[in-house]
Amino acid sequence: MFKKPLGNLKTSAPLRNSDRRKLKQHIIQAFSLVPDIGEELVPEGLLSVKFNTYTDEPGVAYLGPGGDPLWFTLGIGSEDIIPTVYTLWKKPDLIPFLSTPSAVIPVLIGGADLMIPGVVQHPLSLQAGQLVSITEHIHHSTHIGSPLAVGHMAVDSDVLSEAGSKGKAVFVLHAWNDHLFDMGHKGNPPDPWEMSHSTTNDQHSTEDEDVTENDMLKEPLVDALSSHLEQTQLDDHAPKIELTKEDVSSILHDALLQAMKKTLSSSQASALPMPASTFYSAYILPSRPAQSPSQPSVSTPIDIKHSTHKSLAYFLKSAEKQGLLKLKEIKSELMVFSVATSHADVVAHRPYLSLKDVALRNEKRGQREEEERSRVKELEVTELWKPHLQSLIFFAEAGFDTSARYTYADIKTVLDKYVTDRQLVNAHDQSYINVGADELLQTTLCKSDNPANMEFFKREQLIERLSDKMQSWYKICAEGKDPVLKKGQIKPISVVVKVRQGRKATTLITGFEPFLLEAAALAEELKMRCASSTSVSPAPGKSSGMLVLVQGKQVKEVTEFLTSQGVPKRWVHTEGGGKK
């Protein structure tokens, strides 16, 4: 598919945060991922770029912050999202795999499909059209070669097992070293990965090789958990792991090394000396490893009380004996005076993702989302009126354009010119217009049952009466989009709190469609923002719009979100949330 250079390659553009969340949610559902893994595979800073393949098939590639293509789609409006080998190197078990001898790999990279005789290992439950990856088969090993290609199954797995079967096994879409791959940083595949439990249950080998189960955990907790993994299944029903005191002590020791290498190395001159309790809470505890979602849940608190050390003082004195830091007791209070950041253990320590890193990442993400919301330009909502029926005669005979759409200010200008040209301004009070002196104005604006009593009107009353006789229109302009011009009267978005079933409150949102908002996307955004369940249903009455329901009293949160999407505050009507 990508054996030749991409054609009509567009300039990459940043993906809006809302679009990235939709893409992430789609991928999480399509590949049955937990949210944290989805966040890793669909990172912030994602870019999108449109292209055409050498067969002139359109597609979209999604690039990571570093420029590596992570996902792509083929075809106009296709929702079939396909991972690249860059993504599969991060999570090799994302999709089922087939293995093939090393001699076949160069042929696949050259653009050929995988043939049935070239398949060595394959799952037993594959179906034609299913997305799979292709790896290099490694003889007499429990390791699996890194994914080198991705494609759709050409046949069911039953056909692969039949003796003498021929033909294509996989229609290859993308492979290592093709032109899609070359958009990234390139490079060689990572080291072979150990086959995890989730990918070995139904794996079939034509060589009848036995494959053992191994965990893939690369986090700092792996040493503490490895002895438990043989008895524990990594699924939703797995029991929580209880760590031993030795395990907790080892993790706390790693946390100390992490703090010394990543934090204290740059700030120790100004931060030290400090009380031991402050050192523990400000540096050691935040440096504990953040547990990966792929690991079994740990029930044991990782702190001094659950370690082999009787107290914080014993833990720090043990570190002092190793030469990691220096302590001194001042007025019965233990103080940390210095840390040895050049210690061999600190230098050899390999940093990991800590609780502090996760907190900082979440904080930065929140700041970016807030900045993105603040950058959204407010929608320009303009009410318009077009001459219609009675008002059409007035505009035609008065010499004004009958096909134009007028703003409220335009209507005022039309009337001012009309009454000035015909000297209809009342001589005693210029705020009044002598309507009775002009038959056209009187028949247009006065009620037909008794126009004789309508002699004088204030100027503003005339404008309102004339606009009431005209056809309502509205125009909405959003930055980066074509203006939307529609017939009808635009009404504010309704945000109403209603109490049902006693004290159960719900917030109902209707009338948001004219403001370029979609019900499903609105419900999903409010679900995350309000931390409440949401639902979408047709709005009651004759309205053709939809109703979004949010559990609880969420007027403030809903209003803030609507304004963050560019809806002017005057176009949001609230009830039941306090001040209207």
Side-chain angles (χ1 to χ4, degrees):
M1 187 63 68
F2 300 103
K3 64 181 179 180
K4 294 183 180 180
L6 302 178
N8 198 24
L9 189 63
K10 305 293 184 181
T11 303
S12 60
L15 202 64
R16 293 183 60 181
N17 205 35
S18 57
D19 293 334
R20 185 188 75 88
R21 285 197 293 267
K22 292 178 185 177
L23 177 66
K24 181 181 72 173
Q25 192 61 32
H26 174 61
I27 289 173
I28 287 175
Q29 294 176 354
F31 296 94
S32 302
L33 302 175
V34 295
D36 282 5
I37 296 296
E39 184 69 27
E40 181 183 352
L41 300 184
V42 190
E44 294 181 351
L46 212 63
L47 305 173
S48 66
V49 58
K50 295 182 179 180
F51 62 85
N52 285 350
T53 65
Y54 76 96
T55 59
D56 209 33
E57 185 175 15
V60 178
Y62 298 95
L63 315 180
D68 292 340
L70 303 179
W71 304 89
F72 67 97
T73 60
L74 294 172
I76 299 176
S78 173
E79 294 186 358
D80 187 12
I81 190 78
I82 304 166
T84 67
V85 293
Y86 286 108
T87 296
L88 293 174
W89 290 350
K90 293 181 180 179
K91 186 167 177 57
D93 59 345
L94 182 66
I95 53 178
F97 71 89
L98 292 80
S99 66
T100 189
S102 58
V104 179
I105 299 301
V107 181
L108 299 179
I109 295 174
D113 294 324
L114 178 63
M115 309 303 288
I116 293 178
V119 177
V120 178
Q121 287 177 300
H122 65 85
L124 297 176
S125 56
L126 293 178
Q127 297 180 348
Q130 187 172 349
L131 199 63
V132 295
S133 66
I134 302 173
T135 69
E136 179 182 352
H137 177 67
I138 302 176
H139 292 278
H140 309 296
S141 173
T142 62
H143 289 73
I144 302 298
S146 297
L148 298 175
V150 61
H152 287 126
M153 288 294 297
V155 294
D156 294 342
S157 55
D158 294 340
V159 178
L160 302 180
S161 304
E162 294 175 3
S165 294
K166 295 183 179 180
K168 293 184 177 182
V170 179
F171 297 116
V172 176
L173 301 173
H174 154 63
W176 172 53
N177 277 345
D178 65 10
H179 286 278
L180 177 63
F181 178 89
D182 286 346
M183 293 175 65
H185 74 277
K186 305 179 184 179
N188 295 320
D191 295 333
W193 52 288
E194 293 184 357
M195 195 181 302
S196 69
H197 174 74
S198 61
T199 58
T200 58
N201 285 344
D202 64 343
Q203 197 74 16
H204 173 74
S205 171
T206 56
E207 296 182 356
D208 294 327
E209 294 180 345
D210 294 328
V211 181
T212 61
E213 175 185 335
N214 296 280
D215 67 275
M216 294 175 58
L217 300 175
K218 303 300 180 186
E219 302 289 341
L221 289 177
V222 64
D223 294 331
L225 297 176
S226 58
S227 61
H228 303 279
L229 286 176
E230 294 179 0
Q231 294 83 24
T232 305
Q233 300 296 328
L234 300 182
D235 56 30
D236 294 336
H237 305 288
K240 293 184 176 181
I241 297 299
E242 292 187 6
L243 301 179
T244 64
K245 292 184 177 181
E246 289 76 13
D247 294 336
V248 176
S249 297
S250 177
I251 294 171
L252 288 176
H253 181 75
D254 287 341
L256 174 61
L257 298 178
Q258 175 88 357
M260 292 173 64
K261 185 161 188 174
K262 293 196 66 178
T263 308
L264 289 165
S265 59
S266 59
S267 62
Q268 61 169 332
S270 58
L272 300 177
M274 70 172 60
S277 57
T278 304
F279 182 82
Y280 175 68
S281 60
Y283 293 99
I284 297 177
L285 290 182
S287 298
R288 291 171 297 176
Q291 190 175 353
S292 168
S294 62
Q295 296 173 344
S297 179
V298 176
S299 62
T300 308
I302 301 175
D303 54 30
I304 288 295
K305 292 182 180 179
H306 294 82
S307 70
T308 56
H309 305 284
K310 297 180 180 179
S311 66
L312 176 60
Y314 280 112
F315 172 71
L316 294 178
K317 288 178 180 179
S318 173
E320 185 180 32
K321 289 181 181 179
Q322 299 174 43
L324 292 171
L325 46 80
K326 288 185 178 181
L327 304 172
K328 190 174 182 179
E329 193 167 323
I330 300 177
K331 296 181 180 181
S332 300
E333 184 175 19
L334 190 63
M335 304 286 290
V336 179
F337 262 70
S338 64
V339 291
T341 55
S342 59
H343 192 282
D345 290 352
V346 178
V347 174
H349 176 72
R350 188 174 64 179
Y352 51 76
L353 184 68
S354 67
L355 296 176
K356 180 180 179 181
D357 296 330
V358 172
L360 289 175
R361 184 176 64 183
N362 292 338
E363 182 181 353
K364 290 180 179 178
R365 181 188 305 156
Q367 291 174 350
R368 281 194 293 268
E369 290 178 354
E370 186 63 33
E371 289 174 0
E372 182 178 334
R373 286 193 293 270
S374 64
R375 286 197 300 267
V376 175
K377 190 174 180 181
E378 192 174 82
L379 298 175
E380 293 182 10
V381 183
T382 307
E383 291 182 278
L384 300 171
W385 290 267
K386 185 179 180 181
H388 185 65
L389 298 177
Q390 288 176 284
S391 62
L392 189 66
I393 301 172
F394 170 79
F395 276 82
E397 295 191 13
F400 294 101
D401 189 355
T402 58
S403 62
R405 297 173 183 87
Y406 296 85
T407 65
Y408 196 83
D410 294 336
I411 297 174
K412 183 177 183 299
T413 302
V414 168
L415 273 174
D416 287 345
K417 187 176 185 304
Y418 185 85
V419 299
T420 301
D421 292 346
R422 288 159 179 77
Q423 299 179 352
L424 300 177
V425 179
N426 191 287
H428 303 288
D429 189 346
Q430 293 191 1
S431 64
Y432 281 88
I433 307 299
N434 296 331
V435 177
D438 187 87
E439 185 178 355
L440 176 60
L441 199 59
Q442 191 176 45
T443 55
T444 302
L445 303 181
C446 299
K447 294 182 180 179
S448 58
D449 55 351
N450 193 12
N453 293 334
M454 305 296 180
E455 290 290 332
F456 304 102
F457 276 102
K458 280 195 170 185
R459 200 179 297 263
E460 288 299 323
Q461 288 179 302
L462 285 181
I463 299 173
E464 290 179 6
R465 280 179 171 266
L466 181 56
S467 63
D468 288 342
K469 302 292 183 180
M470 301 172 71
Q471 190 180 61
S472 296
W473 286 70
Y474 67 87
K475 181 172 71 171
I476 293 183
C477 297
E479 188 177 20
K481 296 182 180 179
D482 294 332
V484 176
L485 182 65
K486 288 189 177 182
K487 183 172 65 175
Q489 183 180 9
I490 188 170
K491 296 181 181 180
I493 298 175
S494 173
V495 182
V496 180
V497 172
K498 289 192 176 181
V499 179
R500 299 176 179 177
Q501 299 177 3
R503 297 183 178 180
K504 190 175 181 180
T506 56
T507 304
L508 310 178
I509 307 106
T510 55
F512 47 82
E513 289 88 354
F515 299 89
L516 313 182
L517 296 171
E518 296 181 357
L522 179 61
E524 185 63 27
E525 292 285 353
L526 293 177
K527 179 180 180 181
M528 294 185 291
R529 177 178 283 259
C530 301
S532 298
S533 60
T534 60
S535 63
V536 178
S537 61
K542 297 180 180 179
S543 171
S544 60
M546 303 298 289
L547 179 146
V548 173
L549 182 148
V550 186
Q551 293 292 341
K553 296 182 178 181
Q554 309 288 358
V555 168
K556 181 181 178 182
E557 289 75 11
V558 172
T559 303
E560 289 179 351
F561 174 73
L562 292 175
T563 54
S564 74
Q565 298 302 299
V567 180
K569 282 188 177 181
R570 69 187 184 93
W571 289 103
V572 180
H573 173 77
T574 63
E575 288 185 22
K579 184 178 179 181
K580 291 186 181 181

